[in-house]
């Protein structure tokens, strides 16, 4: 894919090139990534490391969220992101962002989430790098994919809604390092500040079609049903400096 960004809308489905879980755990080489397939020695070393080393930071990950991020500098471009999040404190979360939930997925970047009381301590210019999650939650765009297992769907939906009631109040700051939507084979260029959609009209393509396609890949996901069930989630008052990409009356 060309690096020419002159077209008005940029969105591509990168998941089609991601290997299936049954193959990826043995050879997670992604055809979109340059390099030779992993050797038997590399696989053996990884197995040995997984048995002998402590991976405490990643073991603290406690939630998988899925949504879409927008390039703050070019808001006609957006990309799907799978968030794997951990709580550092009750006021700070940190998420590793991947382009798929499968083995062999590429790390896109990172997102931090903070509570309003911490956001209020930030300088004005810093506040403008952060975005809200209100539309993501209320529209049904933001989901917590149900894991495979015996948990009933109703129980999972209740757990997800409880999580959404917390996330709707948080501010997020995202940087992406790998622009997979334009076909980059490796992470190229400067980190990109990302933001979230705050209204359906901001989608450069049909939002319903995008979310329908996403839901097909996550059993039990139904953004329309989630939108309906979240109508009673209270909308918090968010700071006017957040979501700066979408402000029509920007001031230098």
């Amino acid at each position: 894919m060309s690096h020419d960004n002159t077209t008005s809308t940029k969105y591509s489905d990168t998941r089609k090139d991601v290997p299936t879980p049954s193959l990826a755990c043995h050879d997670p080489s992604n055809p979109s990534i340059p390099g030779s397939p992993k050797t038997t020695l590399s696989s053996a070393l990884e197995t040995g490391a997984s048995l002998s080393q402590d991976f405490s930071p990643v073991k603290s990950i406690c939630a998988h969220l899925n949504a879409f991020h927008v390039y703050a500098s070019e808001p006609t471009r957006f990309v799907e992101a799978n968030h794997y999040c951990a709580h550092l404190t009750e006021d700070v979360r940190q998420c590793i962002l991947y382009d798929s939930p499968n083995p062999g997925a590429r790390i896109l970047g990172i997102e931090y989430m903070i509570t309003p009381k911490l956001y209020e301590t930030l300088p004005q210019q810093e506040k403008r790098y952060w975005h809200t999650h209100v539309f993501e939650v209320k529209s049904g765009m933001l989901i917590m994919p149900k894991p495979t297992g015996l948990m009933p769907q109703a129980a999972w939906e209740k757990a997800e809604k409880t999580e959404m009631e917390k996330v709707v109040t948080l501010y997020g700051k995202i940087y992406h390092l790998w622009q997979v939507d334009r076909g980059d084979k490796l992470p190229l260029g400067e980190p990109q500040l990302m933001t979230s959609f705050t209204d359906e009209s901001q989608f450069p393509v049909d939002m319903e079609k995008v979310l329908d396609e996403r839901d097909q890949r996550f059993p039990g996901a139904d953004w329309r049903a989630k939108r309906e069930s979240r109508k009673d989630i209270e909308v918090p008052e968010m700071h006017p400096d957040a979501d700066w990409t979408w402000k029509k009356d920007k001031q230098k």
Side-chain angles (χ1 to χ4, degrees):
M1 185 179 296
S2 170
H3 287 196
D4 180 6
N5 291 332
T6 58
T7 54
S8 61
T9 298
K10 297 278 186 171
Y11 172 65
S12 60
D13 184 353
T14 61
R15 275 80 56 197
K16 62 180 178 294
D17 293 328
V18 177
T20 59
S22 60
L23 295 176
C25 57
H26 301 292
D27 180 12
S29 48
N30 185 321
S32 298
I33 305 173
S36 303
K38 282 202 318 181
T39 65
T40 302
L41 176 59
S42 293
S43 297
L45 290 173
E46 288 181 0
T47 301
S50 67
L51 295 173
S52 61
Q53 289 189 297
D54 180 11
F55 300 105
S56 294
V58 292
K59 287 180 180 178
S60 65
I61 291 172
C62 60
H64 170 204
L65 304 173
N66 178 286
F68 295 85
H69 294 163
V70 185
Y71 288 82
S73 62
E74 193 178 348
T76 57
R77 291 175 61 199
F78 66 101
V79 65
E80 184 176 340
N82 289 276
H83 310 53
Y84 292 87
C85 303
H87 294 213
L88 293 179
T89 68
E90 284 300 307
D91 297 290
V92 180
R93 304 183 185 194
Q94 59 184 12
C95 307
I96 306 172
L97 309 175
Y98 289 87
D99 71 332
S100 93
N102 298 328
R106 294 166 287 188
I107 293 178
L108 299 177
I110 46 91
E111 177 170 3
Y112 299 100
M113 300 182 190
I114 59 174
T115 56
K117 74 176 184 181
L118 292 185
Y119 181 83
E120 291 291 344
T121 68
L122 302 176
Q124 182 183 43
Q125 184 58 43
E126 175 63 29
K127 285 185 172 79
R128 295 175 178 178
Y129 298 138
W130 298 73
H131 64 273
T132 64
H133 295 94
V134 175
F135 179 73
E136 288 185 341
V137 170
K138 298 289 284 184
S139 67
M141 179 194 303
L142 182 64
I143 64 171
M144 191 165 71
K146 182 179 180 295
T148 55
L150 300 178
M151 177 178 284
Q153 183 68 28
W156 184 255
E157 292 286 349
K158 184 177 181 180
E160 181 189 62
K161 186 173 181 180
T162 298
E163 178 70 1
M164 294 300 119
E165 290 170 345
K166 297 177 181 177
V167 174
V168 76
T169 67
L170 302 178
Y171 294 89
K173 183 179 184 181
I174 310 169
Y175 276 100
H176 279 203
L177 306 174
W178 200 331
Q179 298 183 57
V180 298
D181 65 298
R182 69 179 188 182
D184 288 4
K185 300 295 185 181
L186 292 170
L188 303 176
E190 297 179 350
Q192 297 294 309
L193 179 68
M194 309 294 282
T195 189
S196 62
F197 289 108
T198 62
D199 188 85
E200 183 175 352
S201 65
Q202 295 162 352
F203 260 82
V205 295
D206 186 341
M207 184 187 85
E208 294 190 1
K209 183 178 180 180
V210 171
L211 298 187
D212 285 342
E213 189 279 329
R214 185 275 311 274
D215 286 356
Q216 290 176 5
R217 290 181 277 103
F218 292 103
D222 183 342
W223 69 270
R224 291 180 179 85
K226 296 179 190 300
R227 178 179 61 187
E228 187 67 25
S229 71
R230 297 173 187 175
K231 282 186 174 179
D232 62 346
I233 293 180
E234 184 177 351
V235 176
E237 183 177 352
M238 308 306 289
H239 196 283
D241 282 332
D243 302 319
W244 197 247
T245 297
W246 307 113
K247 307 297 184 183
K248 298 184 183 299
D249 56 343
K250 293 181 184 179
Q251 301 292 326
K252 292 292 184 180

